[in-house]
Amino acid sequence: MPIDVTSLYDRRSDNRWDRICVGDILERVTWSRPGRIALTGWAGAFGEPAFERLTYRQANDVVNRFANGLLARGLTRGDRVLLVCENSVEAYLAKLGCAKAGMVAVPVNPALASDVLGHVIALAGPRLAVVDAELWPRAAGVLTGAGLRPDVTIPIGGGVAGGGVSFSQFLDGQPAEEPDVTVHGDDIWELLFTSGTTALPKGVMLSHSYAHMGAYAFALSLTRGLRIEADLRLCSFLPVIYHVADQALSLPAFLAGGSLVIGRKLVPAQMARAVAGERVTALWGGSPQLVKAFAAALDDEPGLDVTSLGVLVYGWGAVEPGVLASLRGRCGRDFGLVGIFGQTEAISCHRFWPDAWEEKYQATAPQVNYVGIPNPLLASTVMDTQGQHLLDQPGVPGEAVYRSPAVASGYYRDETATREAFRGGWFHSGDSCTVDEDGLRIMVDRYKDIIKSGGENVSSLRVEAVLHTHPQVAKSAVVGLPHDRWGEAVAAVVVLQPGEQIGEAELIEFCRERLAGFESPKAIVFADELPETVGGKVLKYKLRQQFAEFYPRTATVD
C-alpha cells in the first residue's frame, strides 16, 4: 500500500483508515455502541423474524456478508445492483452492502411503468437484482426481457422467486469480516432516478461524500432538544429505499449513534403507533397532507403516548398552524416542525422552523410556502434568466440555484443534461422562488407548474394550500388547462375526505373568498385518487394530459 507524505493536493483518501464510505457507517459505531439497536423494522418491514431488530454489530455483520456475497458472485467495483423493493430491513442493509463492496445500488420505484423500468435498466446496466417477492410478478416481464433474474428475493408477500435464493440464503456461508475493497468518497454509491415528471427519469449520481455531508447536515436538525445526540430515534414510513430520504432521513440516525425505525407502507395510524411503541424522537412526516393525516391518527387514539417526539420534518408545502397546535398538544410544548426544501440533486436543503419565524408563519401559512434559509452547508441564491442575483429584490421571482458538497455528481451517461443543470457554476433547481424583506425564501412553484392565465402568473401551490384548508378536502392538484379566453385556465382536481360530499360551485366560492379572482379555479373535477410519486408529489403532467380537452367541451365558471 503506497504511502504519500509529500503531495499536498490531488490526494485520495481511500485507505481503510481514512476513507469516506457509506458502507462503513454501521461499522464505525460498533467501536462505541456495538450492542445498541441500530435498525428496527415495524410490522411488515422485514421478511424474516431474524431481521426485525438488529444491533449495530449484527447489522454490520449482515452488511459485510452481503458485500462479500456480491464479490463471491464475481461482481467488481462499480458494478450496479438493481433493487426492486419497498421499505424493509433487508433491502436497506443490501444497499449498504453494495456501498461497502464498492458497487452502486440502483433502487427503483416498483410502481414504474414497464417502459420506464426498461429505460432505467438499459441505462444502468445492472449485473444482479434484488427483489421483493410480492413485487416480482409485476417486474418479471421487464427484468427477464433485459436478461436479469431475481438473484436475491426478500420473502415479503411470497417465497423465493424463480432461479434465485432468499436474502438469508444469499448470506449463508459468507464471512462477516470487512471486505478488502478500495472505496473513495467521490465514488458513486447510488443511482437514484428522478420522478420523470416531464421526460424519462434521469439517473442522479450520488457519491459517498454527498451522502455523508447531507446526512450530517440533517443530523444537526434531527437531534435538537436531545440530551445527547445518540438518543436520536428516527422513524420513516416514507420510502427510504428508492428515494433521497435515505440520505437525509435515515443515515443521520447512524451518524448520531442512534436508531432507525422503518415502516413498510404509508399508513398514518401505524406511524402513530410506531412513534409511541418505539419512543421515536424524530419523524419524517412528508407532505402537509400526510402530516395532517398523522395528527388525525393521533386524535383517533388518545391513549397513545407520543411525548417522545420532538421533531417532525415536512416538505412540499406549508403545514396549517392548527395542525402544529394539535401536534404540540399531544407531543408537548417542546415539539417542533421543520420544513425542508431541496431535491435529489441537492439534499442539504433550506430549513424553515415555524417557531423561529412564528409571526410570519401564523400570518401566512398554509397559503404562502415559506422555506426559510439555506442550511449552513448550502450556498443558495435566487437568480433570473440572465444569471443576476435577486436576493436584494424582495418579491421578484427567480430560480433557486445551489452550491454545496451535498450536490449530486451529475446525471449518469447524460452529459448534455448535466451541463445544462450546472451551467454558470450553480446547480439549477427548476424551482421558482422569491425572497421577502428579511431574506427568507418563499417557494412559488416548479417552473413547469406555474399557470399563465389571462396575463397573470398563478402559483398552483398557493391554490392547493387554500383547498387543503377546507375540512372536506383530502388532496388536491391544481393545473393550467388550455382555454380559448385565458390561454390557460386554473383547474383543480380534488379528492374528498372519505364519506364527504361538496358541490363544485361551493368549493370554488371557498377559494374566491381567500384568493384573487385570477387565482381561483375556473372548474373543479372530483377524483378518487391522484397520480403521485413515492414522496407524495403529484404527477401533474399526467393530469394535464388527461384533461387537455376539458375546457373546450365543458362549461366554465367565469
Side-chain angles (χ1 to χ4, degrees), residues 416-429:
T416 300
T418 301
R419 288 187 180 278
E420 174 64 18
F422 288 92
R423 64 190 183 277
W426 295 84
F427 173 75
H428 290 254
S429 69

Side-chain angles (χ1 to χ4, degrees), residues 21 66-68 70-71 76-78 96-103 179 181-183:
C21 174
F66 191 86
N68 286 317
L70 294 174
L71 296 168
T76 59
R77 188 180 183 193
L96 298 186
C98 293
K100 185 166 280 194
M103 297 167 196
V181 179
T182 298
V183 177

Side-chain angles (χ1 to χ4, degrees), residues 74-358:
L75 277 72
T76 59
R77 188 180 183 193
D79 281 342
R80 277 75 65 204
V81 177
L82 182 74
L83 293 98
V84 185
C85 306
E86 293 286 358
N87 281 3
S88 73
V89 172
E90 292 96 324
Y92 194 92
L93 295 179
K95 285 178 57 174
L96 298 186
C98 293
K100 185 166 280 194
M103 297 167 196
V104 183
V106 185
V108 296
N109 180 356
L112 289 178
S114 296
D115 61 329
V116 179
L117 179 57
H119 159 77
V120 168
I121 291 173
L123 182 65
R127 287 194 56 195
L128 185 138
V130 181
V131 302
D132 286 350
E134 66 183 11
L135 300 177
W136 173 243
R138 176 183 173 90
V142 178
L143 267 66
T144 54
L148 294 170
R149 66 171 190 169
D151 299 281
V152 181
T153 300
I154 297 173
I156 296 178
V160 176
V165 298
S166 71
F167 183 83
S168 60
Q169 288 170 334
F170 186 78
L171 302 182
D172 286 345
Q174 299 301 329
E177 285 74 27
E178 302 290 326
D180 184 15
V181 179
T182 298
V183 177
H184 185 268
D186 289 343
D187 292 346
I188 303 304
W189 85 276
E190 185 171 36
L191 294 177
L192 278 182
F193 282 82
T194 57
S195 301
T197 54
T198 57
L200 287 172
K202 298 186 287 290
V204 184
M205 303 166 66
L206 307 181
S207 71
H208 295 269
S209 293
Y210 160 104
H212 275 77
M213 297 300 285
Y216 262 125
F218 267 84
L220 296 176
S221 298
L222 296 170
T223 55
R224 64 173 293 277
L226 297 179
R227 186 172 55 88
I228 57 173
E229 68 271 18
D231 289 339
L232 175 63
R233 293 187 66 80
L234 176 59
C235 178
S236 176
F237 275 65
L238 284 147
V240 292
I241 302 302
Y242 50 86
H243 188 269
V244 74
D246 62 348
Q247 325 279 322
L249 292 151
S250 71
L251 294 180
F254 311 129
L255 292 176
S259 300
L260 175 66
V261 180
I262 56 176
R264 179 70 172 176
K265 294 179 180 179
L266 265 177
V267 181
Q270 292 299 318
M271 293 170 62
R273 291 166 194 159
V275 169
E278 297 295 332
R279 305 302 294 158
V280 167
T281 64
L283 177 68
W284 171 214
S287 69
Q289 293 72 49
L290 182 57
V291 175
K292 190 173 184 177
F294 172 71
L298 293 181
D299 289 341
D300 291 340
E301 299 195 50
L304 292 178
D305 179 0
V306 291
T307 55
S308 63
L309 187 61
V311 179
L312 189 150
V313 182
Y314 69 93
W316 311 311
V319 173
E320 299 169 38
V323 173
L324 172 55
S326 174
L327 289 169
R328 184 161 284 155
R330 288 298 303 275
C331 301
R333 60 189 180 91
D334 292 331
F335 170 84
L337 291 174
V338 55
I340 60 171
F341 171 57
Q343 58 198 105
T344 303
E345 294 90 335
I347 199 52
S348 182
C349 293
H350 289 65
R351 301 284 195 280
F352 179 73
W353 297 93
D355 289 348
W357 298 287
E358 184 175 8

